[in-house]
Amino acid sequence: MRDALRGGQRVDPDDLITRLDAVRRFLTAVDGYLPDERLVPAHTLVERAGTRLALSRDHTVVALAGATGSGKSSLFNALARLDLSPVGVRRPTTGVAHACVWGPLDGATRLLDWIGVLPRHRFIRESALDGDDESALHGLVLLDLPDFDSVQHAHRLEVDRLLGLVDLVIWVVDPQKYADRLVHTAYLREFHRHRDVTLVVLNQADRLPPAEVPRVLDDLRRLLDADGLTGVPLLATTAVDPSGSTELRASLESTVAERQASLRRLAGDVDTVVERLADLVGPEPAGTGPDAAGSRVLTDALAGAAGVPAVTTAVEAAYRHRAASATGWPLVRGWRRLRPDPLRRLHLPGPGGAGGSADELSAKPVAATSVPDPTAAQRSALGLAVRAVAERAGGDLPGPWPAAVTGAARSRLGDVPDALDRAVAGTDLDVPERPLWWRLVGALQWLVTLTAVAGLAWLVLGYALRALGLPDPDEPMVGEVPLPTLLLLGGLLAGLLVAAVTRPVVRWAARRTRLRAERRLTAAVAGVGEEHVLTPVHAVLTSYADARDALRVAAGKK
Ligand SMILES: Nc1nc2c(ncn2[C@@H]2O[C@H](COP(=O)(O)OP(=O)(O)OP(=O)(O)O)[C@@H](O)[C@H]2O)c(=O)[nH]1
Ligand SMILES: [Mg+2]
């Protein structure tokens, strides 16, 4: 039994620190996404563990816990071999924790300050008094706790607080009350993750007939198994007899020498916390962002809300309008120019390109364009697309994560209309002003028109001379046709021909310009979706992946 508590695995301090860091990382990753009340135990653990490890690794804090009258104070005194904690007939006797430190008090002072044992209840067991008898317990800080089944509610609170801080607990039960429900359901079961740092003693064994002791121990062992405490050391003690706690003392000596209890306690705490958080993470997310199909639906909805179809229609119309003004029959071009440019009507870069209206845009960054506002249908399509993106990205995640993803996806929706307007206004639609080929065709039209006009003038001059009876100059002939007539008709016909050839080319080029503008606008609104919807979603998914990884490390899995 001497090695009763050595059955547990050794806890490597570095591993423990890695696991605690992982719990810390988990808390950082989930901050703002998960309900705080679920995270309280993890926060408490991180805080307590950090302090406990920083205070002293050389001390082992052991608490005697149990019901009133079980003999905690008597055992405390028996182990200390001094009457330090009052033993009472009137119950409950012990109201606040008492501590006895084996070895110098100095090193344990800060530890006891943290645990909250009042200085007047601290005692020292200096080995100088006893020769070397007590040296095997050097480093032990033994606490005598109040009763947990007290009529005094404050006692129970104090016990609960102290049980959260100590390294090892000795549960003291007596032959009358060892099967008491409270100790099993409210306490022992809660400690099933701390089997390595739990010890149970059946005190007052002297009150049983010697033959009864093994039977009661068996019965108690059965109850402990049912509590999930299989394998915890179980000893019989008699506090009133100096030799009645020899085994317990030996067990404590080996625990103290091993310097493992504080690490095991914290490792058990990490296990408990990780187990309670396990339902907050689940499968690996399918990706760290919404899939391509989801993004496309979103971009389409954004394009609709941004009025991209209206703008691209205007782009095509503007191209044709400008081309007609530049290449049409010269005599009606001026009239065409009087009609407004379709792009200018939307307050989008008209002739002069995107650069021309940059000042106007920066002066009026919001609602810079007159692109029609999205309709109710377009707005609801956008809402649905955003929700679909969130569901595709986070729908399979456990617990509160899907809501966190949806919340993130919607978090910046209020800024989207202005951002879309800016994106459309800032896109270079690349509708040409007067490309060279328009100018060449325009010049050709001038040439053939002037030819026709020259032919007409010549003919008119001929008629006038004839009408005035003046000698009629010979009109040169080209084949059978007089040259002036040829110039007039040829000029007119050539003009029609040039217009007939130009029109389909303009139409084709207008469509290409529209497609190019559509691509650019789509990229611009996709950028808005990326910034306002996908990036926040991505942030939550990244946090989820971090949290999942951190919890895996905290669980001790490599
Ligand atoms: N015969 C016998 N009596 C014991 C033993 N241990 C404690 N007692 C007696 O049981 C009574 C209660 O002992 P305490 O040590 O005060 O019990 P406690 O668990 O500290 O009680 P609280 O402080 O009220 O929680 C006292 O009268 C002790 O003398 C034991 O092993 N054998
Ligand atoms: Mg007591």
Side-chain angles (χ1 to χ4, degrees):
M1 196 50 86
R2 192 185 166 80
D3 290 341
L5 278 167
R6 307 190 73 166
Q9 284 190 336
R10 283 194 74 78
V11 173
D12 178 59
D14 292 337
D15 283 351
L16 177 65
I17 288 167
T18 305
R19 294 181 67 197
L20 285 165
D21 284 344
V23 173
R24 221 171 269 131
R25 198 151 59 79
F26 173 87
L27 289 171
T28 309
V30 303
D31 189 33
Y33 299 127
L34 301 184
D36 286 345
E37 61 272 18
R38 289 288 317 263
L39 306 176
V40 170
H43 279 291
T44 308
L45 165 67
V46 163
E47 205 269 322
R48 275 186 190 168
T51 313
R52 175 67 188 89
L53 291 174
L55 278 174
S56 166
R57 296 257 281 273
D58 294 332
H59 288 93
T60 304
V61 183
V62 176
L64 291 158
T68 183
S70 57
K72 299 179 294 297
S73 301
S74 306
L75 267 181
F76 180 82
N77 293 340
L79 290 167
R81 295 181 174 143
L82 293 169
D83 278 346
L84 301 177
S85 185
V87 169
V89 185
R90 277 185 48 220
R91 309 258 67 87
T93 309
T94 311
V96 288
H98 289 60
C100 182
V101 178
W102 274 257
L105 183 63
D106 293 353
T109 301
R110 285 176 56 221
L111 194 57
L112 288 169
D113 287 345
W114 176 64
I115 292 170
V117 177
L118 297 174
R120 67 174 181 278
H121 296 137
R122 300 175 189 177
F123 308 99
I124 318 165
R125 206 67 186 79
E126 269 293 10
S127 53
L129 292 175
D130 320 276
D132 274 344
D133 278 5
E134 303 293 321
S135 63
L137 285 177
H138 257 207
L140 173 65
V141 177
L142 187 66
L143 301 184
D144 177 22
L145 302 195
D147 56 318
F148 57 55
D149 58 345
S150 192
V151 285
Q152 307 276 350
H153 186 58
H155 287 194
R156 183 163 182 172
L157 291 179
E158 178 68 348
V159 170
D160 288 347
R161 188 183 71 79
L162 290 164
L163 287 178
L165 302 179
V166 301
D167 301 329
L168 183 138
V169 182
I170 300 173
W171 299 95
V172 184
V173 298
D174 61 52
Q176 287 84 51
K177 292 207 280 183
Y178 72 88
D180 196 77
R181 253 187 71 236
L182 181 72
V183 63
H184 292 279
T185 55
Y187 287 95
L188 288 169
R189 255 170 230 179
E190 287 294 305
F191 263 70
H192 75 275
R193 290 225 160 258
H194 292 98
R195 279 198 298 262
D196 289 350
V197 286
T198 297
L199 195 146
V200 181
V201 300
L202 175 70
N203 191 36
Q204 307 186 16
D206 59 306
R207 290 188 192 263
L208 290 169
E212 274 290 282
V213 175
R215 193 193 60 75
V216 175
L217 284 177
D218 281 353
D219 197 32
L220 179 52
R221 171 66 76 192
R222 193 178 47 75
L223 292 170
L224 292 174
D225 288 351
D227 292 332
L229 290 171
T230 313
V232 302
L234 171 60
L235 312 173
T237 56
T238 301
V240 291
D241 172 357
S243 65
S245 53
T246 320
E247 251 187 322
L248 176 60
R249 196 182 174 79
S251 182
L252 286 177
E253 283 173 5
S254 63
T255 304
V256 168
E258 214 184 7
R259 304 257 185 285
Q260 273 280 304
S262 61
L263 302 177
R264 285 183 177 151
R265 161 72 206 233
L266 294 174
D269 286 348
V270 179
D271 288 343
T272 307
V273 161
V274 167
E275 190 184 74
R276 290 193 184 147
L277 294 174
D279 65 313
L280 293 177
V281 298
E284 201 171 346
T288 49
D291 55 2
S295 309
R296 208 171 317 118
V297 171
L298 176 67
T299 304
D300 288 350
L302 285 167
V308 168
V311 176
T312 54
T313 304
V315 163
E316 189 170 350
Y319 186 98
R320 292 167 69 167
H321 171 81
R322 293 175 200 176
S325 311
T327 66
W329 207 40
L331 301 183
V332 294
R333 277 185 208 172
W335 170 74
R336 277 186 185 280
R337 283 201 192 109
L338 290 179
R339 289 183 12 209
D341 187 287
L343 273 181
R344 284 201 153 170
R345 243 186 285 166
L346 297 178
H347 289 124
L348 285 166
S357 55
D359 288 348
E360 196 185 329
L361 286 182
S362 54
K364 216 161 55 120
V366 175
T369 74
S370 301
V371 177
D373 282 340
T375 62
Q378 283 168 332
R379 274 200 301 271
S380 82
L382 179 57
L384 286 176
V386 169
R387 197 176 326 143
V389 162
E391 269 166 22
R392 286 171 105 104
D396 293 340
L397 302 184
W401 289 101
V405 174
T406 308
R410 304 180 60 83
S411 61
R412 301 194 59 195
L413 267 190
D415 300 337
V416 164
D418 283 348
L420 285 177
D421 208 42
R422 273 197 302 273
V424 169
T427 302
D428 178 6
L429 299 171
D430 201 17
V431 184
E433 182 55 28
R434 275 173 79 79
L436 182 64
W437 75 271
W438 291 3
R439 271 182 276 162
L440 290 177
V441 173
L444 188 61
Q445 281 287 25
W446 269 115
L447 191 71
V448 296
T449 306
L450 289 178
T451 308
V453 169
L456 180 66
W458 198 336
L459 286 175
V460 170
L461 184 68
Y463 280 119
L465 291 177
R466 272 194 297 278
L468 294 173
L470 293 174
D472 190 4
D474 275 347
E475 287 184 344
M477 300 293 284
V478 179
E480 298 292 303
V481 189
L483 182 59
T485 311
L486 184 69
L487 288 179
L488 173 62
L489 293 179
L492 288 174
L493 267 177
L496 285 175
L497 195 68
V498 170
V501 171
T502 308
R503 199 171 303 124
V505 179
V506 166
R507 221 179 284 147
W508 172 81
R511 230 178 359 257
R512 271 186 47 136
T513 307
R514 174 202 185 125
L515 291 177
R516 194 170 55 221
E518 191 171 79
R519 270 199 305 279
R520 291 179 179 196
L521 287 166
T522 304
V525 299
V528 172
E530 184 73 44
E531 188 186 335
H532 290 76
V533 180
L534 302 186
T535 301
V537 165
H538 178 79
V540 182
L541 294 181
T542 306
S543 294
Y544 172 77
D546 282 353
R548 195 173 165 275
D549 181 62
L551 211 56
R552 193 178 49 76
V553 176
K557 294 179 199 141
K558 292 275 154 57

